[in-house]
Amino acid sequence: MRTVQLGRTGEQVSQLALGCMIMGTVTPEDEAVTMLDRYAEAGGTFLDTADCYAWWERRGSHGGESEELIGRWLARSGRRDQMFLATKGSAVVRDLDAVWAGGRPDWDVAYRTFVGAGAKTLREAIDGSLRRLGTDHVDLYYVHVDDRATPLEETLEALAGIVQAGKARYIGWSNVRTWRLERIRQLCAQHGWPAPVALQQQHSYLRRRAGLRHASIVDDEQLDYLETHDDLTLVAYSPILKGIYDDPGKRRGHGAMDPYQGPDSEARLAVVAEVAAEVGVTPNALVLAWLMYQSSPAIVPLIGPRTLQQYEAALPALDVKLTDEQLSRLDAADA
């Protein structure tokens, strides 16, 4: 498995990261452990989780199942020193009773009741994550959801303390607007606090539809920002958009497709299908390969397989060879 430098840290991480969000809930432990074993055996090192994963899969859960499973796997496998371990804080839900009041998770209520990125919250959250993971530090600690209700100075000073205490080596941010990211970086430079080295956003081959307002999906401005700030690496979550590239039927009415609907996506989907057929892989695998071919900015696709079969289906992306002509065709495709 190839590696890419994380920002300018000198740290080499796997160019394909393994998202562990539903391990321990949707994905049974034995299957999750097999996935983790196979990822490590293939040379994979970059594991991603969060303290809130995955409360929405079981009423009464506060999250933490994913971290606990990873902790058990690390203890059993003895691979902690081989793994680059990332987790996140700030998106635990404060009022779960209100979220489940209708019998199913109400995400509008959840988004309004995140615990946020206050100093006390983050200090307690990292300690909880470390306890569940069974380790004394994580390699990367993200603010999971940008918190505009808390002064950035408070959040950044707390993160600096977490790094100084040796509980996290680097920090990152997720689900954040570009202007906020620039303000974060300015404050870090002003106060000598550690600045983010990773930005985790939703990013894929399809481009979000014109006029969409969305803090979590990369847009042209954010791509331009990342191209000129190579101390930040883009970690792309939902890179294959729930697998819609392989399944035309799934694209019709699927929530993952909604931000991308339109003629531009239709044109790009057609080219993905053509090039995938030429190189002999699925469209999903081709999209992962295309993301790993990007260098400005460098991109780490973050896969989140639900099953071992889905994990295995992603691996051919590691061996895809694309010609300059194919890359140009993919890059140029539009309506």
Side-chain angles (χ1 to χ4, degrees):
M1 192 175 295
R2 294 186 301 274
T3 62
V4 64
Q5 184 177 195
L6 187 72
R8 295 186 198 143
T9 64
E11 192 80 40
Q12 293 291 318
V13 297
S14 301
Q15 201 174 14
L16 189 66
L18 182 60
C20 305
M21 181 174 72
I22 54 176
M23 292 185 178
T25 50
V26 174
T27 305
E29 181 146 356
D30 58 347
E31 194 166 5
V33 165
T34 301
M35 254 188 270
L36 289 162
D37 285 341
R38 293 191 184 178
Y39 178 70
E41 289 160 5
T45 60
F46 197 170
L47 300 180
D48 181 272
T49 186
D51 62 352
C52 65
Y53 293 162
W55 64 261
W56 55 92
E57 299 295 348
R58 187 176 69 233
R59 188 165 188 166
S61 167
H62 289 268
E65 293 91 349
S66 171
E67 290 181 328
E68 289 171 349
L69 186 147
I70 292 170
R72 290 191 292 273
W73 177 76
L74 290 171
R76 187 183 308 128
S77 67
R79 291 185 182 271
R80 174 63 188 96
D81 292 342
Q82 301 168 28
M83 295 293 116
F84 189 87
L85 185 57
T87 194
K88 315 177 194 76
S90 77
V92 168
V93 174
R94 185 181 296 109
D95 188 354
L96 281 167
D97 288 338
V99 170
W100 285 95
R104 298 179 62 185
D106 185 328
W107 282 98
D108 288 336
V109 174
Y111 291 139
R112 294 197 300 269
T113 59
F114 286 149
V115 293
K120 182 175 184 292
T121 299
L122 289 177
R123 286 194 290 265
E124 291 176 354
I126 186 65
D127 286 344
S129 289
L130 295 178
R131 183 176 63 254
R132 287 185 291 273
L133 290 163
T135 186
D136 62 355
H137 76 282
V138 293
D139 298 289
L140 177 60
Y141 192 59
Y142 292 97
V143 172
H144 198 164
V145 177
D146 190 32
D147 174 13
R148 297 197 196 183
T150 300
L152 278 172
E153 292 87 347
E154 178 182 340
T155 298
L156 289 165
E157 187 172 22
L159 290 170
I162 287 168
V163 172
Q164 186 175 21
K167 296 179 180 181
R169 296 173 62 210
Y170 306 108
I171 69 163
W173 229 269
S174 186
N175 302 299
V176 62
R177 297 279 188 185
T178 307
W179 70 267
R180 286 275 292 178
L181 189 60
E182 174 60 16
R183 180 62 179 147
I184 289 163
R185 289 158 52 84
Q186 288 175 358
L187 286 169
C188 290
Q190 177 183 338
H191 293 278
W193 293 326
V197 300
L199 173 66
Q200 189 173 137
Q201 298 280 87
Q202 183 170 318
H203 186 56
S204 187
Y205 173 69
L206 297 186
R207 298 179 288 217
R208 71 191 211 175
R209 55 183 165 81
L212 178 70
R213 292 173 59 87
H214 205 301
S216 301
I217 301 177
V218 173
D219 60 9
D220 286 349
E221 180 186 26
Q222 200 157 76
L223 276 178
D224 181 69
Y225 186 86
L226 289 165
E227 286 171 5
T228 54
H229 295 85
D230 65 357
D231 54 333
L232 274 169
T233 294
L234 174 59
V235 179
Y237 73 79
S238 295
I240 57 173
L241 303 176
K242 309 293 185 184
I244 58 91
Y245 291 97
D246 280 2
D247 188 349
K250 194 174 186 179
R251 295 197 283 270
R252 291 190 288 271
H254 197 291
M257 190 65 194
D258 181 66
Y260 304 92
Q261 290 284 6
D264 184 73
S265 289
E266 292 170 12
R268 288 174 82 80
L269 286 164
V271 174
V272 163
E274 291 173 6
V275 177
E278 290 169 9
V279 299
V281 296
T282 66
N284 281 340
L286 179 74
V287 167
L288 292 174
W290 178 82
L291 288 165
M292 289 187 283
Y293 261 88
Q294 305 308 299
S295 59
S296 183
I299 298 173
V300 176
L302 174 63
I303 60 170
R306 177 173 53 85
T307 65
L308 184 60
Q309 183 180 16
Q310 289 177 352
Y311 168 74
E312 298 287 357
L315 295 184
L318 298 170
D319 298 318
V320 169
K321 300 292 189 293
L322 295 172
T323 66
D324 289 343
E325 185 277 332
Q326 288 168 331
L327 286 167
S328 295
R329 211 178 341 146
L330 287 162
D331 291 342
D334 60 32

